[in-house]
DNA sequence: GCCCAGGAGAAGG
DNA sequence: CCTTCTCATGGG
């Protein structure tokens, strides 16, 4: 199960050999994360688990390079965060066999991987995401980190900040958050932060355990203020490892109607179809479909 | 001015 | 259970 990775370090750079089914644009520009920025050379700079890095990938020799990371960081963060131990080739073949239509989307976004993101950060991010667009979501999260978060460190000429803790956010007022331009979502952040503080952050962390079923995690997430079915599914998929969740947003509605002919507003029919057609990898299928409908021309 | 964006909550059927 | 309205903000 556990793959043995060939690692090399060179200065402040970590190199991982023989990484397949991997494309930085597909991974970082498919709407699952909001804290990575593309550089002119095609690499991406960002931060996860308090560690700012820059990541590049060479398609020809299949080498993944992480600038600012060492072997210990790879084992503690990046190996899991980038979901490197999962065989996406196998998953893609399985999905294509079950449903040739999704095969078209898989061919288009073949390098997508589902990141294993921080739970609290993902909860905040998708609270902000509702009825919002991706460029503005990124701005809001960046602003929230800079105005209320603690400094994580300097890297390649930029200062990186963590998102504010639940304690910090629970103690904040709507006025404190006003500069972040979150709109009506600000009160959801504060109320959810109070809930997390009251229940304990462990209650949220525990939802990522294998002993908690996908459905149980989904229901528990909906208990947080401002978390409905769509946001709960995103958190379960992007931070809790529940790969069968199938978040349905305006884009997925569009693609399900266009590619499968399902009635435009029939969410239950879409969810049912996803369970039937994609099963335990519904969330991965959803990301290929989302990337396809948001990026393919015409 | 209008419509839209990785929607949710409240009110009223 | 369902439907409809409202909630800030900024970009096209």
């Amino acid at each position: 199960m556990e793959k043995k990775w060939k690692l090399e370090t060179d200065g402040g750079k970590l190199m991982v050999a023989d990484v397949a089914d991997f494309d930085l644009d597909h991974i970082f520009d498919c709407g699952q994360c909001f804290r990575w920025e593309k550089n002119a050379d095609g690499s991406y700079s960002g931060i996860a688990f308090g560690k700012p890095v820059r990541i590049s990938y060479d398609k020809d020799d299949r080498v993944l390079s992480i600038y600012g990371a060492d072997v210990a960081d790879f084992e503690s963060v990046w190996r899991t965060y980038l979901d490197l131990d999962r065989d996406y080739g196998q998953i893609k073949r399985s999905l294509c066999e079950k449903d040739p239509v999704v095969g078209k989307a898989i061919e288009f976004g073949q390098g997508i991987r589902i990141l294993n993101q921080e739970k609290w950060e993902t909860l905040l991010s998708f609270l902000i995401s509702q009825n919002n667009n991706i460029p503005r979501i990124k701005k809001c999260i960046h602003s929230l980190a800079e105005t209320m978060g603690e400094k994580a460190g300097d890297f390649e000429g930029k200062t990186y900040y963590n998102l504010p803790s639940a304690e910090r956010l629970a103690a904040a007022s709507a006025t404190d958050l006003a500069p972040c331009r979150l709109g009506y979502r600000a009160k959801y952040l504060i109320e959810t932060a109070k809930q997390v503080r009251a229940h304990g952050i462990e209650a949220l962390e525990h939802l990522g355990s294998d002993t908690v079923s996908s459905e149980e995690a989904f229901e528990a997430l909906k208990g947080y203020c401002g978390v409905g079915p769509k946001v709960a599914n995103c958190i379960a998929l992007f931070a809790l490892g529940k790969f069968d969740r199938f978040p349905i947003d305006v884009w997925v509605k569009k693609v399900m109607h266009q590619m499968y002919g399902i009635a435009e507003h029939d969410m239950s029919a879409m969810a049912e179809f996803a369970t039937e057609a994609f099963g335990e990898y519904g969330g991965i299928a959803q990301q290929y479909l989302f990337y396809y409908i948001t990026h393919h021309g015409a």
Side-chain angles (χ1 to χ4, degrees), chain A residues 13-26:
Chain A
K13 169 172 73 163
L14 172 77
M15 289 178 290
V16 189
D18 199 29
V19 175
D21 304 299
F22 194 96
D23 185 296
L24 294 172
D25 292 328
H26 298 168

Side-chain angles (χ1 to χ4, degrees), chain A residues 80-153:
Chain A
T80 307
Y81 181 79
L82 298 169
D83 209 25
L84 293 180
D85 288 317
R86 195 176 308 277
D87 186 352
Y88 278 75
Q90 172 70 30
I91 293 168
K92 287 188 285 187
R93 282 191 293 277
S94 163
L95 285 171
C96 287
E97 280 174 26
K98 284 192 232 169
D99 175 45
V101 177
V102 81
K104 189 174 168 184
I106 291 174
E107 193 180 344
F108 184 75
Q110 47 77 222
I112 293 175
R113 279 172 179 267
I114 307 287
L115 300 171
N116 290 297
Q117 301 182 64
E118 292 173 79
K119 297 165 185 65
W120 169 242
E121 172 170 323
T122 308
L123 176 50
L124 287 183
S125 298
F126 282 90
L127 278 174
I128 292 169
S129 79
Q130 64 177 81
N131 202 21
N132 209 342
N133 57 65
I134 291 177
R136 217 176 77 82
I137 295 165
K138 287 185 176 180
K139 270 188 199 171
C140 288
I141 292 172
H142 182 80
S143 171
L144 181 63
E146 282 211 330
T147 59
M148 298 204 59
E150 291 186 6
K151 184 173 170 178

Side-chain angles (χ1 to χ4, degrees), chain A residues 26-64:
Chain A
H26 298 168
I27 291 167
F28 291 127
D29 194 24
C30 68
Q32 62 176 323
C33 56
F34 306 102
R35 302 203 67 190
W36 294 90
E37 293 301 329
K38 189 173 185 175
N39 301 303
D41 65 354
S43 66
Y44 280 79
S45 297
I47 177 170
F49 292 89
K51 296 179 183 298
V53 294
R54 183 165 60 85
I55 301 181
S56 69
Y57 177 70
D58 190 314
K59 248 186 177 61
D60 297 322
D61 58 18
R62 305 210 302 181
V63 171
L64 170 67

Side-chain angles (χ1 to χ4, degrees), chain A residues 241-293:
Chain A
K242 314 301 186 193
F243 282 79
D244 60 330
R245 303 316 303 183
F246 192 81
I248 302 173
D249 72 326
V250 291
W251 291 105
V252 175
K253 280 183 201 169
K254 223 170 280 185
V255 75
M256 294 298 276
H257 177 64
Q258 275 183 28
M259 296 177 82
Y260 296 103
I262 301 174
E264 262 161 307
H265 302 294
D266 197 345
M267 316 270 284
S268 55
M270 292 179 186
E272 205 170 310
F273 177 88
T275 303
E276 186 63 31
F278 311 133
E280 61 176 325
Y281 292 123
I284 296 179
Q286 190 269 9
Q287 281 306 101
Y288 292 121
L289 292 169
F290 180 86
Y291 187 81
Y292 180 79
I293 195 66

